[in-house]
Amino acid sequence: DVKVTQSSRYLVKRTGEKVFLECVQDMDHENMFWYRQDPGLGLRLIYFSYDVKMKEKGDIPEGYSVSREKKERFSLILESASTNQTSMYLCASSFQQGLNQPQHFGDGTRLSIL
Amino acid sequence: DAKTTQPTSMDCAEGRAANLPCNHSTISGNEYVYWYRQIHSQGPQYIIHGLKNNETNEMASLIITEDRKSSTLILPHATLRDTAVYYCIVRWGVNAGNNRKLIWGLGTSLAVNP
């Protein structure tokens, strides 16, 4: 089975801190994604990557950056955390080639910024 | 904006079939219908997809109307573990360019009752 592992289930940080969220997948997927999920707003795409060192902005990239140095790992970075970045963060991955490749998700990191 | 419309919530008795509708009246000829679900405190999970024919797998059946403007996800014998939010998404089948992204609505919250 595909496994997408997020480094923490729960995380508490302080305003202004630099925060790293890590995601690792074990299926050699080319595509990796970071979403945030908020009540009433659903899942919103922050960034995605379709290859090592490649990244593309999603719908809400402001205040975030990403890093993909290895194919299996995709990191989300909050450069200077703010309270409005308190949210559930979800990582996903998928194959690039072929039709209808579904996205596989981790179980999320619930991040609180105090 | 999501290209689909789903009821906000539904109830189903345990052991009965759960029929979850989705409206996608603006679907284009090469867009597929995908279903995911999200159980509380977990990441979304892929269920099934289809283009125009009905599809069935070990989790569910997907019925797409002939004009493709709507579809129904069927859980034939719902269990308490099927309580989740169900998302209907339309997109091209090829993972290329911006089509790598999934556009998520708010889904249908299904409660399976004993």
Side-chain angles (χ1 to χ4, degrees), chain B residues 8-49:
Chain B
T8 302
S9 63
M10 295 183 64
D11 286 294
C12 177
E14 189 178 18
R16 305 297 291 268
N19 298 292
L20 294 100
C22 179
N23 181 289
H24 31 79
S25 58
T26 61
I27 193 170
S28 65
N30 52 7
E31 285 185 314
Y32 288 72
V33 180
Y34 295 78
W35 284 83
Y36 284 75
R37 74 179 182 183
Q38 186 174 19
I39 295 170
H40 183 63
S41 297
Q42 296 182 19
Q45 175 192 25
Y46 164 78
I47 301 173
I48 198 168
H49 71 269

Side-chain angles (χ1 to χ4, degrees), chain B residues 7 33 37 44 52 57 62-63 81 99 105 111:
Chain B
V33 180
R37 74 179 182 183
K52 54 185 177 182
N57 64 20
L62 175 60
I63 309 296
R81 288 175 294 180
N99 191 53

Side-chain angles (χ1 to χ4, degrees), chain B residues 47-64:
Chain B
I47 301 173
I48 198 168
H49 71 269
L51 182 63
K52 54 185 177 182
N53 297 318
N54 299 337
E55 302 288 344
T56 296
N57 64 20
E58 65 278 3
M59 291 181 69
S61 295
L62 175 60
I63 309 296
I64 302 174

